[in-house]
Amino acid sequence: MQKKVKVKPNSKQQKIEEQPDGSLIVYLKSPPVDGKANEELIKLLADKFDVPKSHIRIKSGFSSRQKLMEIDPNT
């Protein structure tokens, strides 16, 4: 499954908001430096969708706030 994700780094708290169109807004505590925010994003999505971190990858937008995430619940 693919999810559009808007990332908000340097937030006071971690949270995930689901939008009516199915996309997600993810608030991250980490700064967007050295991939730290991307690591935190993958960990949060793994917890939300109850899959291992290895089943989640950034399909596009690696260095952008708008990302397309691929979540594989089966493998």
Side-chain angles (χ1 to χ4, degrees):
M1 114 176 84
Q2 293 186 354
K3 283 275 187 194
K4 286 185 182 174
V5 176
K6 184 173 186 181
V7 177
K8 303 218 178 208
N10 290 326
S11 298
K12 288 194 183 340
Q13 62 183 8
Q14 286 181 333
K15 67 178 178 177
I16 299 175
E17 290 180 355
E18 192 144 358
Q19 300 301 300
D21 66 358
S23 67
L24 303 173
I25 297 178
V26 181
Y27 297 85
L28 303 171
K29 289 183 176 180
S30 301
V33 178
D34 297 331
K36 286 187 169 73
N38 286 336
E39 288 175 26
E40 184 181 353
L41 172 64
I42 288 171
K43 183 180 181 314
L44 277 176
L45 291 177
D47 290 346
K48 177 176 175 51
F49 292 103
D50 197 27
V51 297
K53 291 189 290 187
S54 61
H55 291 196
I56 296 178
R57 67 184 187 98
I58 300 171
K59 197 157 181 186
S60 67
F62 191 81
S63 59
S64 167
R65 288 176 190 236
Q66 299 280 350
K67 301 183 186 298
L68 183 62
M69 305 297 294
E70 185 157 15
I71 301 158
D72 185 2
N74 300 323
T75 329

